[in-house]
Amino acid sequence: MNSYLCTLYNCKSLNNLQKYLCILDKVYFKKLSHNLKEKPHKFFTSFKKQDRELFKCSLEVKKLHKRLIKLFKIENSNYLKSGVKKESHLTNVKHHQGSNFYLTIDIKKFYPSITKSKIKNQLIVTYSQSSKVAEFISNLVTVSQEQSFGKRALVTGSPASQYFAYVINKRMFDEINKVAKEENIKFSLYVDDMTFSSKTIISHRFHTKIYSILTKYGYSTHTNGKKKNYRGKIGNKTKITGVQLTKYGLRLLDKHKIKIRNLIQNSGCINNNKSLIGLVHYAIQVNSKYSKYMYMINKHHKTPLLLFS
């Protein structure tokens, strides 16, 4: 079975695309096509969050993005841990438990690097769509961005963002997975965080192979040792999607522990209580030993905070 097949595979006609998107009015479809190309900010409102440019999508576009997810429901690979049911950043970490050596790679400016031209090209090459169909879809999921130097790139903040990033780059990630399998190395993907693990040493030669594949598809990585990049034995630097992986099990990062303790000390505020509830739930999911925070909360308060009500 061709794992790239989906409902929109080999879609050549805009009339067929209109039907697939459940748009009944042809005049509306034509106007939408024009506005998506010429006036994208009618549909996407940008805002900043921690130095990241995110976008709020209009209800009109959000509905079409959700429809795209259904139409591109290709066969998911077992290495994919984001944007699909029953997978999360925790299942991503647990996938690598029991290994001794790790390689973690973070793609630099992943979303801004998924440009409109790259999306359109992959829709034509990988999914055999016509240029007109690929043009409409690439306009539907992109907007000009600061980090892309004004170029249109895959929108962040949409329900389709994570999954579509995988759809467009599936050929690349499948190639990376194939190389990992040949070396008997586990591979998992969480958005742009790639993790490799093995019982034996992961060589620099393997790292170079992965880097070469990324470069071939127009991506770059952060300098080794920076951000989330790491190659070596399990230890203090083995952090995978926000969780510390040790030979004794999963642990919270220090920043999460500090935040929980601070919230316990200041949990008289209702908003703080909500944050605390979420963080403690998360901590216990990481490792059941963090139920100790329940004891700390009950000791600190005369009236226990009801975490699981």
Side-chain angles (χ1 to χ4, degrees):
M1 177 181 177
N2 188 333
S3 61
Y4 302 109
L5 290 179
C6 62
T7 305
L8 290 179
Y9 185 85
N10 204 34
C11 183
K12 306 292 187 182
S13 163
L14 283 175
N15 288 334
N16 286 337
L17 178 63
Q18 180 188 331
K19 291 175 185 176
Y20 284 132
L21 292 174
C22 301
I23 298 174
L24 302 178
D25 189 334
K26 287 190 176 182
V27 175
Y28 167 76
F29 181 76
K30 189 174 181 179
K31 184 178 179 181
L32 176 66
S33 179
H34 170 78
N35 286 338
L36 284 169
K37 183 177 182 178
E38 304 295 337
K39 305 174 183 178
H41 288 287
K42 284 173 63 75
F43 308 99
F44 306 105
T45 305
S46 66
F47 63 97
K48 288 289 186 69
K49 185 176 181 181
Q50 295 179 344
D51 297 325
R52 293 180 62 206
E53 186 179 18
L54 300 175
F55 294 86
K56 183 179 180 181
C57 302
S58 69
L59 292 176
E60 184 180 14
V61 160
K62 191 177 287 187
K63 182 179 178 181
L64 291 173
H65 283 188
K66 288 180 179 179
R67 181 69 185 152
L68 272 185
I69 293 173
K70 292 180 180 179
L71 293 171
F72 273 96
K73 211 61 182 176
I74 55 181
E75 182 182 342
N76 292 329
S77 304
N78 59 9
Y79 63 74
L80 181 63
K81 304 299 177 184
S82 59
V84 291
K85 289 183 179 179
K86 297 184 180 179
E87 299 291 359
S88 68
H89 68 290
L90 285 177
T91 61
N92 181 46
V93 181
K94 290 174 181 177
H95 182 71
H96 296 278
Q97 280 187 294
S99 295
N100 298 324
F101 296 89
Y102 294 85
L103 169 64
T104 57
I105 297 176
D106 175 49
I107 299 176
K108 189 176 182 180
K109 295 182 180 179
F110 184 51
Y111 280 106
S113 297
I114 308 175
T115 59
K116 177 190 166 181
S117 60
K118 187 173 291 185
I119 292 171
K120 185 176 179 179
N121 180 65
Q122 285 302 312
L123 290 175
I124 293 170
V125 173
T126 303
Y127 298 97
S128 296
Q129 295 176 1
S130 69
S131 179
K132 288 183 178 180
V133 169
E135 173 73 12
F136 182 95
I137 293 174
S138 59
N139 283 332
L140 178 58
V141 298
T142 62
V143 64
S144 58
Q145 299 179 29
E146 289 179 8
Q147 287 191 323
S148 302
F149 304 103
K151 291 182 180 179
R152 293 184 69 143
L154 181 61
V155 62
T156 50
S158 160
S161 298
Q162 280 193 4
Y163 188 69
F164 212 71
Y166 164 70
V167 165
I168 292 304
N169 292 290
K170 180 170 168 55
R171 186 180 293 272
M172 177 182 74
F173 290 128
D174 280 354
E175 191 172 333
I176 288 171
N177 186 52
K178 182 175 180 292
V179 170
K181 279 186 173 181
E182 289 171 351
E183 303 265 351
N184 199 27
I185 292 173
K186 284 185 181 180
F187 166 58
S188 71
L189 173 71
Y190 189 84
V191 191
D192 61 333
D193 290 342
M194 296 183 293
T195 304
F196 305 86
S197 68
S198 175
K199 291 282 188 182
T200 56
I201 293 173
I202 297 176
S203 67
H204 182 264
R205 177 182 56 82
F206 175 79
H207 190 176
T208 302
K209 279 186 181 181
I210 303 303
Y211 177 79
S212 297
I213 294 171
L214 290 170
T215 302
K216 181 175 74 172
Y217 284 89
Y219 295 103
S220 59
T221 67
H222 293 281
T223 305
N224 193 38
K226 301 289 185 181
K227 297 282 183 178
K228 301 169 187 175
N229 285 12
Y230 171 72
R231 182 173 66 89
K233 195 173 182 179
I234 189 169
N236 293 334
K237 293 184 178 180
T238 321
K239 298 170 185 175
I240 302 173
T241 50
V243 178
Q244 178 76 54
L245 184 59
T246 75
K247 63 177 70 174
Y248 306 107
L250 306 185
R251 298 289 186 268
L252 284 179
L253 298 183
D254 287 340
K255 64 179 181 181
H256 292 141
K257 295 177 188 177
I258 292 168
K259 191 169 184 179
I260 289 174
R261 291 191 180 105
N262 287 341
L263 284 172
I264 289 173
Q265 296 298 320
N266 300 286
S267 57
C269 171
I270 293 176
N271 289 332
N272 279 354
N273 285 351
K274 288 181 180 179
S275 297
L276 183 56
I277 289 169
L279 279 170
V280 173
H281 268 300
Y282 168 70
I284 293 172
Q285 281 184 300
V286 171
N287 193 314
S288 60
K289 81 167 195 169
Y290 292 117
S291 57
K292 69 180 182 181
Y293 289 120
M294 292 283 288
Y295 172 78
M296 290 173 64
I297 292 166
N298 292 333
K299 183 179 178 181
H300 187 75
H301 296 273
K302 292 181 180 179
T303 303
L305 185 63
L306 299 178
L307 287 176
F308 301 96
S309 59

